[in-house]
Amino acid sequence: MKKYRNTIEFEVYGAYALFADPVTRVGGEKTSYHIPTYEALKGIVESIYWKPTIMWIIDAVRVMNPIQTETKGIRPIAYNGGNELAYYTYLKDVRYQVRAHFEMNYNHPELEQDRNENKHHNIAKRMVQRGGRRDIFLGTRECQAFVEPCEFGIGEGYYDMMTGEVSYGFMYHGITYAEEAILEEDRDKMTVRFWRPVMKNGGVIEFTRPEDCTEKRHIRPMQRKIFGKNNFTGLEEFTSEEVED
């Protein structure tokens, strides 16, 4: 597995996780996938450090703890008011090692002067040391999580002695928004992606890059965001941030 120049590696862990299929998020019962989705891990990385100048690519995840589930009775707020009873099936006692790297987002020419790889990489590594800039969640808000630096592949994992492969079939991968579209066919659109993950020896799942997902659907037209002094913190902050962080 290739390790890129702008790589960060970290462990994320928590008491519960809920990586639900987006189709089930409207209401009613929710059941977690047995493994984290690309989109959920990307959200965690962006909570550690995010700037529109860069795009995070999730390379791999290593499942460290045994996959276990627990069902809870929940009383969420119903769409027509009041509460309703629903059963959510969570993953419990989860721990993952994650490897990710960033690339420049060339869909934002207005941020060209902020394309400083060393600066963003150094800040990202410091944010991993600090446990992230924003709160970390494993799939949903109620699943609080914590981040620590690690070396990917080092340390004892539950699936280290596993032989062969485990296929998880057809699964949600993530959403490509207009400002992160790489393929011409995905530009100015919101695109949902799917893939077929496989867990290999050591509990490692290597992710397909978003633009390499062949099974996808365009949801709706979408215009990319344009960042500048009037609708963002301003490019001056990028320069001072390197010193402050």
Side-chain angles (χ1 to χ4, degrees), residues 220-237:
R220 62 177 177 86
M222 183 183 191
Q223 297 299 315
R224 75 170 181 88
K225 297 177 182 178
I226 298 177
F227 293 93
K229 295 182 179 179
N230 294 330
N231 61 353
F232 199 58
T233 50
L235 298 182
E236 294 85 354
E237 181 196 342

Side-chain angles (χ1 to χ4, degrees), residues 97-109:
Q97 290 183 351
V98 181
R99 174 182 285 176
H101 75 279
F102 70 82
E103 298 174 0
M104 292 299 158
N105 189 345
Y106 294 102
N107 290 325
H108 289 298

Side-chain angles (χ1 to χ4, degrees), residues 24-60:
T24 67
R25 292 180 188 171
V26 177
E29 314 299 314
K30 290 182 174 63
T31 300
S32 178
Y33 286 122
H34 282 182
I35 57 174
T37 63
Y38 181 99
E39 193 73 13
L41 294 177
K42 186 168 181 283
I44 291 171
V45 174
E46 290 180 344
S47 291
I48 293 173
Y49 176 69
W50 175 84
K51 280 294 186 295
T53 315
I54 63 176
M55 292 190 300
W56 284 106
I57 306 296
I58 310 302
D59 299 314

